[in-house]
Every structure is written in C-alpha cells, then in structure tokens.
Amino acid sequence: HFRCRSAFKLLEIDEKYRLLKPGLSVIDCGAAPGAWSQVAVQRVNSTGERPDLARGCVFGIDLLHIAPLQGAHFLSNRDVTSPATHAELQELLPQAYADVILSDMAPNATGLRELDHERLVCMCLSLLELAEKLLRPGGSLLCKFWDGVLTHKLREGLTRAFQDVKTVKPKASRKESAELYFLARTFRKT
Ligand code: SAM
C-alpha cells in the first residue's frame, strides 16, 4: 500500500535508528509521490490513530504535485531551497519548529555522474539553512546523497551543525546505486 518502494528504505533506517516517534513534527523534503510521508504519518501518529500516544505532524514539500494523504500536510509545487518555502513552513509548524527533517530529494539526473552528485550535494547543503531556521535543538536530519568528490564537504557541513553524523546505506537501496544517506543527530543551534 506504499506509493513507492522507497518507503522500505526509510522503514529500514527507522527500524535501526528510531528517528520517528509518536508526537514528533517532521518535514519531508522532496516528498512526491509520498511514500516516505506515509511511513512518517504512521510512525509519528499524525492521524491520531493511536489515541493513547502523542500525535505528531508531517509536512511534505515537492516541486511536483503530491496527492493528498490523511495525516500529512503537503506543500506541492514548492522549492525546498527557497526562503519563501521556509517562511511558509515556519507558519505551519507547531511552535515554529520541527523535530526531524527528512530528505529523499534528488535533481533530475543528467546521467553525468559528477554533475548530478554536485547538484544533489548543493541541495543537501541548503538543508542546513532550513535546519538553522526550523529544526529544534537536539533534532535530526536524514538526507540522501550520491557519493562523489564533494561528499566530504557535505559531511563537514553536517558535522559543524550536528553532534553525530553517520553514513547509512539501507539494504533496500540497490547495490549498484551510488545512493547513500547521511543521518545527522543532535542538532546544535548556532
Ligand atoms: N521520498 C519520496 C517517496 O518516498 O515518495 C520519493 C522522492 S523522489 C526520489 C525525489 C523528489 O525530489 C522528486 O519528486 C523531486 O521532484 C523532488 N525535488 C527535487 N528537487 C527539489 C526541490 N528543490 N524542492 C522540492 N522537491 C524537490
């Protein structure tokens, strides 16, 4: 019942690292078609399906249209890197802060591996600005990247902002793909 098999990557990462808990506020960057948001809705209990547990919230953003999903608030046709999107999120988030930022964003691949890598790293670096504005101290960020020459830059940027940064390769990610995730935990707000 997931909209995309990418859901299994997030499920696998979350099983291991327990990022998503009932009551948390989540921003899902590059959310279309919405499979990660489906996982997040369940895990943070944003529909209130479990009345005994705290109720969280999920905000999904994408350049593309995202079909509605119960428990999620989608901002379709928005650019995650745009300050206007950040301002909109700030208005919507409870107490103006998120506990977790997820990003499975990817640019349209040109097939030029180096170029695609650089573009995705730039997008990930822009998440640090989003975090600076909207992530609660102690919060976490999970972002997809394609490995390459700028990977160390991204790791350095994350390491400045978070206490703990790990590289994660979910089994559900095809072996041949250069796709990896950085899991950055315990945000220190500057
Ligand atoms: N995690 C999603 C799921 O489980 O359904 C799949 C995400 S898909 C691999 C990557 C998405 O990132 C695409 O839908 C693309 O439109 C989006 N994207 C790329 N650049 C973006 C940007 N600057 N702002 C918002 N979304 C972006």
Side-chain angles (χ1 to χ4, degrees):
H1 64 302
F2 289 115
R3 294 179 179 183
C4 178
R5 60 180 269 290
S6 54
F8 297 103
K9 295 185 259 180
L10 181 58
L11 283 169
E12 193 182 325
I13 294 168
D14 193 50
E15 275 308 313
K16 181 152 182 198
Y17 297 102
R18 302 281 166 199
L19 276 180
L20 305 169
K21 297 187 178 88
L24 297 188
S25 305
V26 176
I27 303 176
D28 181 10
C29 302
W36 275 32
S37 288
Q38 288 179 294
V39 172
V41 162
Q42 289 178 7
R43 296 277 162 117
V44 306
N45 190 39
S46 62
T47 55
E49 192 184 32
R50 293 280 311 267
D52 52 322
L53 300 175
R55 186 170 181 161
C57 57
V58 176
F59 296 93
I61 305 140
D62 207 287
L63 293 172
L64 304 177
H65 176 74
I66 323 165
L69 170 70
Q70 206 196 340
H73 186 133
F74 288 140
L75 303 176
S76 294
N77 311 117
R78 307 295 205 291
D79 186 341
V80 164
T81 64
S82 143
T85 308
H86 302 176
E88 205 173 346
L89 280 166
Q90 194 155 35
E91 288 288 312
L92 290 166
L93 285 163
Q95 293 129 38
Y97 279 112
D99 300 290
V100 181
I101 296 175
L102 303 174
S103 172
D104 195 30
M105 275 197 295
N108 284 327
T110 62
L112 299 171
R113 202 176 151 137
E114 204 52 29
L115 179 64
D116 291 335
H117 155 73
E118 284 172 22
R119 288 173 64 204
L120 183 49
V121 166
C122 285
M123 288 163 69
C124 291
L125 286 169
S126 86
L127 293 174
L128 284 169
E129 287 165 47
L130 179 71
E132 210 48 64
K133 290 182 195 162
L134 298 179
L135 190 61
R136 194 186 301 289
S140 351
L141 184 154
L142 175 70
C143 67
K144 172 164 82 185
F145 67 97
W146 292 321
D147 202 11
V149 289
L150 297 180
T151 296
H152 72 103
K153 284 223 167 219
L154 178 56
R155 181 183 263 280
E156 279 161 25
L158 291 169
T159 301
R160 270 193 295 276
F162 293 84
Q163 252 174 48
D164 174 48
V165 179
K166 279 193 167 55
T167 308
V168 179
K169 171 88 179 166
K171 290 196 200 71
S173 215
R174 286 174 301 123
K175 252 208 200 96
E176 65 274 22
S177 117
E179 162 183 292
L180 292 168
Y181 291 82
F182 273 133
L183 172 60
R185 289 182 294 187
T186 318
F187 181 56
R188 11 175 195 229
K189 215 172 162 52
T190 50

